[in-house]
């Protein structure tokens, strides 16, 4: 279990009005941007359940977009994000959905550009988030630890190759989760780390044969 | 130092044994747990304190409406009354009430605040600490002491009950903020550790059962005004405690009662906007008007 902190109680410094519907939304946007890595040309944001119902009054739409543009939870840009210069060349639209199978505060980012990607996440309270899916792979990204994401051709020995490389740097693995696509051809690894991994190791992981996609996601700032 | 406490009783025991204040124990624990220095913990607290003061300052000058248009000019109205006639209850009452409103209204304008413990209850702790610190001419260090004291109270309660209206109703948001503020007030007034915890206990005990039924699902009705009431509630508790009026039910048992009350509370009254104020005739009407916009 996570160590509890004084600053779980006094924090975050954020723009209002809601830690789950505003600050959480910004953090989801920030994480989606880190995963997508560049500025998308087109964005469709699907808001579910409470995000869809009360999102507008809480500025959830603004928060998600501000995060996607790289602004943090305490930025004074969030309020007027739809007039922000950084949004000028992005085509975007919001869709509201009801789906009881999804979390009350769930969102899908459909991002289009050089590559297209679908990223799903939830705002789980007090500004905390989880990215639950990238494309069809289940992920467990909270933004509280540095996280390494990998997609690769499913074959034996992959986990040990990757973890050996990580251990060489003496980095402790906090958790490791794997998933497989329906056909069993592509697999994903989601590794939470206690410290930051160096670029040279990331490069070596990227060079492993049959690894398609690697993201080294640094933890979100407070 | 490596301290471990999840109850008020154990915290008080440590304070007595070490002959230290609550804030000292809390800041040393935080530093130990997260590999930081006490100075770093205090600096981080000071950053929050600055953001709180900034929100009050900005909020006192504004009457801009919230995104929904429902709230935003209450602080302006209250200041108007105080300017004309002053408050019946004196300067400190004026400050606490307007500071709480100013902060919550800044929150609704999507301006910067500090969630303490949540965004919906962000007006209470700053109002009490800043207003009292101005009255007692406390320095920056004492303000930090008070805020860490408040944090320690929230820290202990949240070991048992998550700080969210969806889990335990508004008890867990504005109620906890009020308990935190009561202890902080006693810190500034110069009370001892037992009086701080007792003040928190008295505040908490007298809001048990407080539900979370926001109209249209927004942190506005009843939340904005509730922050003012809960700030005043906190200083009532601090006054009683400074007179050594003790809660007959021990503090940790009150937290247990709060947890149980939260569990017994219908989900309709826990942030779902499906009961209470949210489903009054007017609550429904407001919701309808907002969704049509
Ligand atoms: S009524 Fe509910 S939403 Fe409003 S402050 Fe209390 S807990 Fe938060």
């Amino acid at each position: 279990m996570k160590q509890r902190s004084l600053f779980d109680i006094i924090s975050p410094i954020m723009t209002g009005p809601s830690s789950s519907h505003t600050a959480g939304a910004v953090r989801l946007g920030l994480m989606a941007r880190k995963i997508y890595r560049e500025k998308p040309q087109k964005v469709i944001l699907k808001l579910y359940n409470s995000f869809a119902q009360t999102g507008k009054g809480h500025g959830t739409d603004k928060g998600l977009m501000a995060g996607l543009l790289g602004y943090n939870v305490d930025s004074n840009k969030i309020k007027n994000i739809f007039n922000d210069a950084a949004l000028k060349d992005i085509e975007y639209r919001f869709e509201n959905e009801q789906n009881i199978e999804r979390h009350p505060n769930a969102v899908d980012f459909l991002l289009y550009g050089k590559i297209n990607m679908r990223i799903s996440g939830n705002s789980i309270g007090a500004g905390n988030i989880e990215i639950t899916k990238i494309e069809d792979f289940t992920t467990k990204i909270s933004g509280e630890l540095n996280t390494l994401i990998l997609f690769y051709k499913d074959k034996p020995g992959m986990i040990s190759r990757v973890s050996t490389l990580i251990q060489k740097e003496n980095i402790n693995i906090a958790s490791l989760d794997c998933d497989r696509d329906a056909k069993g051809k592509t697999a994903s690894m989601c590794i939470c780390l206690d410290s930051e991994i160096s670029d040279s190791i990331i490069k070596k992981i990227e060079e492993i044969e049959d690894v398609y996609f690697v993201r080294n996601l640094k933890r979100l700032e407070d | 130092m490596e301290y471990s406490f999840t109850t008020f009783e154990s915290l008080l025991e440590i304070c007595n044994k070490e002959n230290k204040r609550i804030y000292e124990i809390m800041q040393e624990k935080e530093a130990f747990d997260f590999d930081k220095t006490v100075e770093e913990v205090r600096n981080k607290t000071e950053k929050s304190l600055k953001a709180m003061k900034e929100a009050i300052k900005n909020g006192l000058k504004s009457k801009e409406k919230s995104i929904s248009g429902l709230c935003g000019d209450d602080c302006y109205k209250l200041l108007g009354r105080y300017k004309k006639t002053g408050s019946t209850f004196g300067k400190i009452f004026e400050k606490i009430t307007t500071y709480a409103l100013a902060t919550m209204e800044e929150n609704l304008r999507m301006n910067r605040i500090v969630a303490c413990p949540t965004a919906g209850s962000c007006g209470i702790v700053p109002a009490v600490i800043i207003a009292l610190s101005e009255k007692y001419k406390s320095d920056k260090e004492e303000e930090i002491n008070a805020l860490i004291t408040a944090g320690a109270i929230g820290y202990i309660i949240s070991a048992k009950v998550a700080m969210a209206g969806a889990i335990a109703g508004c008890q867990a948001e504005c109620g906890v903020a009020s308990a935190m503020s009561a202890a902080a007030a006693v810190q500034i007034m110069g009370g001892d550790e037992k009086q701080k915890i007792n003040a928190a206990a008295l505040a908490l005990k007298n809001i048990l059962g407080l539900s979370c039924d926001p109209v249209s699902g927004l942190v506005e009705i009843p939340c904005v005004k509730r922050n003012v009431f809960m700030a005043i509630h906190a200083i009532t508790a601090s006054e009683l405690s400074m007179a050594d009026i003790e809660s007959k039910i021990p503090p940790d048992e009150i937290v247990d009662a709060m947890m149980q009350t939260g569990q017994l509370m219908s989900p309709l009254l826990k942030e779902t906007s499906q009961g209470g104020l949210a489903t009054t005739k007017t609550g429904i009407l407001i919701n309808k008007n907002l969704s049509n916009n």
Side-chain angles (χ1 to χ4, degrees):
Chain A
M1 211 184 97
K2 189 184 146 221
Q3 176 77 272
R4 293 167 60 247
S5 163
L6 170 65
F7 299 106
D8 295 338
I9 308 293
I10 315 170
S11 99
I13 301 176
M14 55 171 271
T15 57
S18 159
S19 43
S20 58
H21 284 64
T22 324
V26 177
R27 291 168 67 101
L28 281 166
L30 275 171
M31 215 15 130
R33 175 63 179 267
K34 281 187 196 223
I35 295 165
Y36 191 68
R37 204 145 69 179
E38 43 203 294
K39 193 167 158 177
Q41 288 157 11
K42 184 178 154 193
V43 181
I44 299 173
L45 287 153
K46 288 194 182 191
L47 275 56
Y48 293 87
N49 307 330
S50 170
F51 254 16
Q53 282 155 23
T54 70
K56 215 166 190 119
H58 286 129
T60 303
D61 50 352
K62 295 177 181 172
L64 291 166
M65 195 54 93
L68 214 45
L69 295 177
Y71 296 114
N72 209 343
V73 289
D74 62 347
S75 167
N76 56 11
K77 300 276 190 188
I78 300 169
K79 196 172 167 177
N80 297 312
I81 197 68
F82 294 126
N83 299 320
D84 199 275
L87 195 57
K88 283 259 148 55
D89 43 2
I90 300 180
E91 190 190 329
Y92 65 89
R93 121 173 145 247
F94 290 88
E95 291 174 4
N96 290 333
E97 309 265 342
Q98 287 301 326
N99 181 347
I100 49 162
E101 277 167 25
R102 295 292 298 266
H103 187 275
N105 299 323
V107 59
D108 292 338
F109 296 89
L110 306 179
L111 305 165
Y112 305 89
K114 261 184 241 147
I115 50 169
N116 300 340
M117 198 182 281
R118 189 180 74 245
I119 300 170
S120 306
N122 305 325
S123 174
I124 55 175
N128 297 314
I129 59 148
E130 55 187 14
I131 298 288
T132 51
K133 253 183 182 177
I134 303 174
E135 292 293 309
D136 282 329
F137 294 110
T138 306
T139 57
K140 278 189 189 161
I141 307 169
S142 72
E144 284 181 33
L145 292 173
N146 297 307
T147 307
L148 185 66
I149 300 288
L150 250 76
F151 296 164
Y152 54 95
K153 185 171 161 193
D154 195 17
K155 58 181 188 185
M158 220 41 145
I159 296 176
S160 76
R161 282 181 79 176
V162 174
S163 58
T164 311
L165 279 171
I166 294 172
Q167 255 133 32
K168 262 195 196 138
E169 286 216 338
N170 225 345
I171 294 175
N172 191 36
I173 295 180
S175 70
L176 190 154
D177 290 280
C178 297
D179 192 24
R180 238 195 301 216
D181 72 354
K183 291 189 219 99
K185 283 195 178 139
T186 308
S188 71
M189 240 186 267
C190 179
I191 308 173
C192 294
L193 304 161
D194 281 343
S195 43
E196 230 169 81
I197 203 164
S198 74
D199 290 343
S200 63
I201 295 290
I202 295 295
K203 198 145 180 284
K204 281 196 190 131
I205 293 173
E206 279 170 337
E207 279 165 4
I208 299 176
E209 196 187 324
D210 291 329
V211 169
Y212 313 130
F213 177 94
V214 178
R215 284 293 184 272
N216 177 25
L217 306 169
K218 302 225 168 86
R219 67 187 291 272
L220 292 173
E221 296 162 39
D222 295 331
Chain B
M1 266 298 280
E2 186 173 10
Y3 295 120
S4 158
F5 52 83
T6 50
T7 60
F8 288 118
E9 197 185 343
S10 52
L11 173 61
L12 195 57
E13 221 167 77
I14 297 171
C15 287
N16 289 338
K17 207 174 105 210
E18 306 275 317
N19 195 19
K20 282 184 181 160
R21 305 291 179 99
I22 291 174
Y23 74 83
E24 290 175 296
I25 302 292
M26 187 73 231
Q27 68 195 15
E28 286 171 29
K29 176 178 170 54
E30 180 76 13
F32 180 88
D33 287 352
F34 292 90
D35 269 330
K36 291 194 178 122
T37 62
V38 165
E39 201 193 341
E40 282 171 320
V41 172
R42 291 182 67 84
N43 287 346
K44 195 166 172 188
T45 312
E46 191 189 351
K47 245 173 94 186
S48 298
L49 200 60
K50 274 195 185 139
M52 288 173 171
K53 288 185 183 173
E54 196 68 20
I56 291 176
K57 200 174 108 209
N58 295 334
L60 289 175
K61 288 185 300 208
S62 177
K63 56 170 178 170
E64 183 190 324
K65 289 280 193 166
S66 60
I67 322 171
S68 69
L70 289 173
C71 301
D73 56 1
D74 290 344
C75 186
Y76 174 80
K77 280 187 189 155
L78 197 56
L79 281 169
R81 162 171 161 79
Y82 292 157
K83 217 183 245 161
K84 251 198 269 158
T85 64
S87 161
T88 316
F89 308 103
K91 199 78 203 154
I92 190 71
F93 192 92
E94 291 184 11
K95 284 192 174 177
I96 293 173
T97 49
T98 49
Y99 291 1
L101 273 179
T103 307
M104 263 306 271
E105 289 182 344
E106 278 297 280
N107 182 39
L108 299 185
R109 294 179 190 118
M110 293 194 83
N111 291 333
R112 204 177 287 153
I113 52 95
V114 184
C116 188
T118 62
S121 57
C122 69
I124 300 166
V125 172
V128 171
I129 292 183
I130 310 297
L132 280 187
S133 133
E134 286 171 3
K135 180 174 169 67
Y136 282 82
K137 307 208 166 36
S138 312
D139 60 8
K140 186 184 84 188
E141 297 306 321
E142 179 62 1
E143 289 175 346
I144 296 172
N145 298 345
L147 187 49
I148 295 177
T149 305
I153 301 296
Y155 184 86
I156 287 175
I157 300 173
S158 70
K160 287 184 187 154
V161 192
M163 311 277 98
I167 305 286
C170 202
Q171 302 180 110
E173 295 202 10
C174 289
V176 171
S178 193
M180 290 164 64
S181 309
V186 174
Q187 166 68 34
I188 296 176
M189 294 193 283
D192 64 26
E193 309 322 293
K194 196 173 168 198
Q195 288 169 326
K196 287 168 201 168
I197 290 174
N198 183 53
L202 288 174
L204 201 59
K205 186 178 160 197
N206 287 289
I207 53 80
L208 291 185
L210 195 64
S211 66
C212 168
D213 50 2
V215 170
S216 200
L218 299 176
V219 198
E220 306 203 28
I221 306 169
C223 323
V224 175
K225 298 184 192 78
R226 179 163 297 166
N227 270 252
V228 187
F229 283 90
M230 288 296 116
I232 295 300
H233 181 75
I235 56 163
T236 308
S238 67
E239 281 288 10
L240 264 59
S241 193
M242 288 299 283
D244 288 326
I245 299 173
E246 275 183 39
S247 169
K248 297 277 191 292
I249 308 290
D252 291 311
E253 293 179 31
I254 295 173
V255 180
D256 293 340
M258 172 193 170
M259 181 169 66
Q260 189 207 33
T261 307
Q263 284 162 355
L264 292 173
M265 204 181 275
S266 161
L268 303 183
L269 296 172
K270 288 193 277 194
E271 222 184 273
T272 52
S273 297
Q274 289 170 354
L277 295 170
T279 51
T280 54
K281 210 165 86 189
T282 305
I284 291 169
L285 191 69
I286 291 174
N287 183 38
K288 214 162 119 199
N289 289 340
L290 286 176
S291 357
N292 289 343
N293 278 337

